[in-house]
């Protein structure tokens, strides 16, 4: 269980990133954190494993005040994947990069191999095993960074923008892997702008703006909150935009269409055509 | 036949340590004024294609090379990245990695100074870009006080300060929130309307397809489709290789399979509603 109590943080006293953040995340939850660039999301994530320490307020891990825990102690519980893989990758092959954390934690060679191959398989990296992470594309590097943390299977996974540079197929695989880890009891926390990824996979959403939490609750209600959408610099999903434009042209249609098949059926009813 | 602005002639590349070619015998011509979106599943070779245009492949990323790439008639094998810098402007995913100075004016002057452009000319370019990219409000701001969208706007301006003939952007909006992403892509589209040639790698096709003049679909190191975006996006090939097409375009295809033919292929929610209104 993670608890933040009135956490404040500013960079070199110049730029205030967190202005009193309080939240609780229970074991086994799947939580998305949204917000505009500069809202404080990444700063918040760095507090979860002790990379940053609150200048005011407290962070608790399993009920313990973390001010007395080292980053190494916290990192065993909370695995953080940075937004930019460039800050995380430093070894000369994809395989050694993923094995590095496992070896450090004292897994046997056999376990290291097993976890490496399972994670690489899951993230579509098997063919890249001996490549230098440096030569890979942004999307591939991102998956290597994710794999190096997911392979350790920490109790809490804190992922900053995990879907960056991923195509539709890779996103699905990533979601599956996260669901499996979640079913096995892991807590999953993501920071993302990817609204469709959240809607499909995360029951709880926390919206941030200007260093504060402005909404926290079931994803569907947070994302239908117009003020939250606006303050988080989000745009509406394409089908919501379509439904609104259709409603202007055809006032008789239903007010709330959100899924692709609802929009599709409505258009069939307007234009005629084969019903399903 | 005269030479295109960017021309791949039977070009192949394999990274050191890789089992297979990242690019397989690519032949491609990009003419002045085009806005080309390059897309395809992760690992298809689109990033390598960008690197081959500005010379990072083969001068920085080493490997096996076959064929040639010409940019503005310069063979990239024989011209270093720095010699191509005033022909090809490259914008990356993460603007923070690209900004080197402490304020906007210094940042925009940095590139041309290094290329030995005269001071008066630099001052003029900087002022022009500040006006054109709406950077007046950021003039004295430190990059760390800027939002991601603002940083990317400055990075874009810094690249334009070199007066490149072609702008190559590898997922320039993937670190940005949706509204900032729209703003940057709007700027890119505006640059194209003013005549700049654009090569843009992007997964979020809903945001770029309506502005692009051409879409190139890649898979496993090869170009598998090349044409106007609306023609490419309705191909079943997109789903087969794992390219996510805009939801509005998906609706178009599903309607067609149910006997409802819209008059044209929509790319956005607004366009979908407009096409339906027109069909009625």
């Amino acid at each position: 269980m993670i608890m933040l109590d009135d956490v404040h943080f500013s960079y070199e006293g110049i730029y205030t990133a967190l202005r009193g953040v309080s939240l609780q995340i229970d074991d086994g939850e799947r939580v998305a954190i949204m917000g505009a660039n500069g809202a404080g999301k990444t700063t918040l994530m760095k507090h979860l494993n002790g990379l940053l320490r609150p200048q005011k307020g407290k962070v608790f891990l399993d009920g313990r005040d973390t001010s007395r825990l080292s980053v190494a102690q916290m990192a065993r519980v909370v695995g953080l994947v940075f937004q930019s893989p460039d800050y995380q990758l430093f070894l000369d092959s994809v395989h050694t990069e993923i094995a590095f954390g496992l070896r450090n934690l004292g897994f046997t060679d056999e376990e290291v191999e097993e976890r490496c191959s399972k994670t690489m398989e899951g993230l579509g990296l098997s063919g890249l095993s001996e490549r230098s992470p440096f030569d890979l594309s942004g999307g591939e590097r991102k998956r290597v960074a994710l794999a190096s943390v997911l392979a350790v299977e920490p109790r809490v996974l804190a992922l900053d923008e995990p879907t960056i540079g991923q195509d539709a197929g890779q996103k699905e695989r990533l979601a599956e892997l996260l669901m499996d880890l979640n079913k096995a009891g892991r807590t999953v926390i993501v920071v993302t702008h990817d609204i469709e990824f959240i809607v499909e996979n995360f029951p709880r959403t926390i919206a941030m703006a200007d260093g504060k939490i402005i909404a926290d609750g079931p994803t569907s209600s947070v994302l239908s909150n117009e003020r939250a959408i606006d303050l988080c610099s989000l745009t509406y999903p394409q089908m919501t935009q379509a439904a609104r434009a259709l409603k202007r042209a055809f006032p008789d249609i239903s007010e709330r269409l959100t899924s692709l098949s609802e929009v599709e059926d409505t258009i069939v009813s307007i234009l005629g055509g084969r019903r399903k | 036949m005269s030479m295109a602005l960017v021309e791949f002639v039977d070009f192949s590349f394999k990274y050191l340590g890789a089992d297979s070619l990242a690019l397989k015998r690519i032949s491609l011509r990009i003419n002045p004024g085009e806005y080309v979106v390059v897309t395809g599943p992760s690992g298809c070779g689109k990033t390598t294609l960008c690197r081959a245009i500005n010379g990072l492949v083969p001068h920085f990323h080493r490997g096996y090379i076959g064929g040639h790439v010409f940019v503005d008639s310069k063979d990239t094998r024989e011209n270093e990245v720095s010699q191509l810098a005033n022909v090809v402007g490259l914008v990356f995913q993460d603007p923070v990695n690209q900004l080197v100075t402490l304020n906007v004016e210094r940042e925009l002057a940095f590139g041309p100074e290094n290329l030995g452009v005269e001071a008066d000319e630099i001052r003029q370019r900087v002022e022009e870009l500040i006006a054109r990219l709406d950077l007046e409000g950021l003039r004295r701001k430190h990059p760390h006080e800027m939002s991601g969208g603002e940083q990317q706007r400055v990075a874009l301006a810094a690249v334009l300060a070199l007066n490149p003939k072609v702008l190559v952007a590898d997922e320039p909006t993937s670190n940005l929130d949706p509204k900032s992403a729209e703003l940057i892509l709007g700027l890119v589209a505006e640059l194209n309307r003013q005549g700049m040639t654009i090569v843009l790698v992007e997964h979020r096709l809903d945001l770029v397809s309506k502005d692009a003049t051409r879409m190139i679909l890649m898979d496993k190191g090869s170009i598998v489709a090349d044409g106007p975006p609306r023609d490419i996006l309705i191909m079943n090939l997109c789903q087969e290789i794992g390219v996510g097409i805009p939801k509005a375009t998906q609706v178009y295809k599903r309607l067609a399979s149910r006997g409802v033919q819209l008059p044209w292929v929509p790319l956005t929610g607004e366009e979908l509603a407009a096409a339906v209104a027109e069909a009625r």
Side-chain angles (χ1 to χ4, degrees):
Chain A
M1 197 252 289
I2 292 171
M3 209 175 86
L4 272 65
D5 182 20
D6 195 32
V7 169
H8 289 71
F9 187 86
S10 78
Y11 289 94
E12 293 156 18
I14 304 169
Y15 177 68
T16 305
L18 297 179
R19 304 167 191 268
V21 168
S22 299
L23 61 82
Q24 181 179 329
I25 296 174
D26 291 326
D27 290 340
E29 274 202 271
R30 295 197 304 275
V31 184
I33 301 173
M34 303 201 85
N37 292 125
K41 311 179 297 288
T42 297
T43 307
L44 174 66
M45 293 291 259
K46 287 181 178 166
H47 278 79
L48 300 182
N49 75 344
L51 275 181
L52 295 177
R53 304 292 182 159
Q55 288 155 351
K56 193 185 147 204
K58 282 197 183 319
V59 177
F60 297 90
L61 200 56
D62 299 326
R64 289 170 74 187
D65 183 345
T66 59
S67 58
R68 281 178 225 113
L69 298 178
S70 66
V71 179
Q73 284 172 309
M74 289 175 80
R76 275 170 194 267
V77 182
V78 183
L80 179 65
V81 178
F82 294 105
Q83 175 170 5
S84 170
D86 301 339
Y87 301 142
Q88 200 149 353
L89 304 178
F90 62 102
L91 293 166
D92 60 2
S93 89
V94 168
H95 182 271
T96 27
E97 189 70 59
I98 298 169
F100 180 79
L102 295 168
R103 293 218 172 94
N104 266 353
L105 290 173
F107 286 96
T108 64
D109 286 354
E110 208 173 304
E111 282 170 322
V112 169
E113 280 319 305
E114 194 191 311
R115 286 186 176 222
C116 275
S117 56
K118 185 179 133 204
T119 314
M120 286 199 284
E121 174 87 46
L123 287 172
L125 293 168
S126 303
L128 303 175
S129 179
E130 295 312 313
R131 295 281 302 279
S132 159
F134 215 46
D135 284 340
L136 303 179
S137 73
E140 289 167 336
R141 278 208 302 277
K142 182 86 209 187
R143 294 209 300 285
V144 176
L146 283 164
S148 66
V149 171
L150 295 192
V152 173
E153 299 189 10
R155 268 176 41 218
V156 179
L157 290 157
L159 316 177
D160 202 344
E161 295 284 3
T163 64
I164 279 185
Q166 306 308 320
D167 60 57
Q170 297 295 354
K171 262 195 230 179
E172 265 172 45
R173 293 165 91 153
L174 174 65
E176 267 173 39
L177 207 66
L178 293 180
M179 289 306 135
D180 286 349
L181 287 166
N182 182 244
K183 275 192 207 114
R186 301 319 189 254
T187 306
V188 183
I189 304 167
V190 297
V191 160
T192 182
H193 299 303
D194 191 333
I195 213 166
E196 320 265 357
F197 188 70
I198 293 178
V199 170
E200 281 159 29
N201 303 301
F202 292 85
R204 175 178 169 196
T205 295
I206 295 171
M208 291 185 72
D210 202 18
K212 291 187 187 134
I213 292 177
I214 53 163
D216 180 356
T219 295
S220 55
S221 61
V222 172
L223 293 184
S224 57
N225 177 340
E226 281 193 34
R227 186 175 152 266
I229 291 269
D230 193 43
L231 285 173
C232 290
S233 258
L234 298 173
T235 48
Y236 286 96
Q238 218 180 29
M239 285 303 102
T240 308
Q241 289 175 9
R244 288 185 173 184
L246 280 168
K247 180 81 186 161
R248 284 196 296 276
F250 306 97
D252 301 340
I253 64 169
S254 147
E255 193 68 56
R256 287 183 83 91
L257 305 170
T258 48
S259 76
L260 193 144
S261 55
E262 282 170 344
V263 171
E264 180 190 333
D265 288 340
T266 303
I267 295 173
V268 169
S269 72
I270 294 168
L271 296 178
R274 289 194 296 275
R275 286 175 196 277
K276 276 204 176 138
Chain B
M1 197 158 59
S2 73
M3 203 157 256
L5 181 53
V6 175
E7 182 146 6
F8 284 68
V9 182
D10 206 21
F11 185 80
S12 299
F13 188 77
K14 186 160 91 80
Y15 288 100
L16 285 184
D19 299 330
S20 54
L21 292 169
L23 293 177
K24 289 180 197 159
R25 309 196 64 170
I26 299 283
S27 289
L28 168 69
R29 294 167 60 87
I30 296 172
N31 289 310
E34 286 197 271
Y35 180 168
V36 184
V37 167
V38 182
T39 193
S42 181
C44 70
K46 51 196 189 306
T47 291
T48 309
L49 191 89
C50 287
R51 290 172 181 167
I53 297 176
N54 76 348
L56 284 174
V57 162
H59 298 294
F60 183 75
H61 299 278
R62 301 281 170 167
Y64 159 85
I65 180 169
H68 294 269
V69 178
F70 297 93
V71 182
D72 198 27
S73 302
K74 292 184 174 123
D75 188 335
T76 58
R77 284 187 187 218
E78 282 143 32
N79 290 271
E80 292 288 328
V81 177
S82 56
Q83 290 168 294
L84 296 166
N86 57 346
V87 183
V88 187
L90 190 72
V91 180
F92 297 97
Q93 265 183 21
D94 192 349
V96 180
N97 292 349
Q98 199 155 351
L99 300 177
V100 291
T101 68
L102 299 181
N103 77 56
V104 171
E105 286 173 30
R106 296 285 323 128
E107 191 68 39
L108 302 195
F110 183 80
E113 274 170 1
N114 278 318
L115 292 182
V117 178
E118 281 185 33
D120 282 348
E121 163 75 15
I122 293 177
R123 226 166 286 141
Q124 197 188 330
R125 282 192 202 176
V126 169
E127 290 310 314
E128 244 176 57
L129 283 164
I130 285 178
R132 195 161 153 206
L133 272 74
D134 195 18
L135 299 171
E136 192 57 56
L138 305 178
R139 199 188 268 269
R140 307 243 170 250
K141 254 194 187 177
H142 187 285
H144 286 162
E145 297 173 290
M146 296 178 197
S147 73
E150 290 170 343
Q151 287 170 348
Q152 193 60 293
R153 224 157 76 213
V154 174
L156 183 60
V159 165
L160 295 174
L162 296 169
N163 274 344
K165 294 188 175 169
V166 53
L167 185 71
V168 178
D170 190 356
E171 298 189 49
T173 67
S174 60
N175 283 3
L176 305 184
D177 61 58
K179 275 186 194 158
S180 306
E182 277 186 3
L183 216 82
I184 289 289
L185 292 169
L187 263 173
V188 170
E190 180 57 33
L191 287 169
N192 175 250
R193 281 191 288 273
Q194 293 165 4
M196 174 74 75
T197 309
I198 312 281
V199 179
L200 181 86
V201 168
E202 188 59 67
H203 285 294
R204 293 195 275 188
L205 300 178
D206 47 333
L207 295 181
V208 294
S209 300
K210 63 181 194 308
D211 297 315
T213 57
R214 179 175 174 190
M215 184 172 282
I216 290 177
L217 201 59
M218 294 186 69
D219 190 30
K220 300 192 182 89
S222 300
I223 293 174
V224 292
D226 181 354
R230 287 172 213 265
D231 296 357
I232 302 289
L233 290 170
I234 55 169
M235 296 169 74
N236 292 332
L237 187 61
C238 290
Q239 279 100 322
E240 284 161 23
I241 64 175
V243 166
I245 66 172
K247 288 252 162 75
T249 314
Q250 282 180 41
V251 173
Y252 170 92
K253 291 186 70 175
R254 288 167 63 150
L255 288 169
S257 72
R258 293 171 74 176
V260 179
Q261 192 61 49
L262 295 180
W264 41 277
V265 181
L267 301 170
T268 64
E270 303 270 336
E271 283 191 3
L272 175 62
V276 172
E278 210 176 298
R280 195 139 106 152

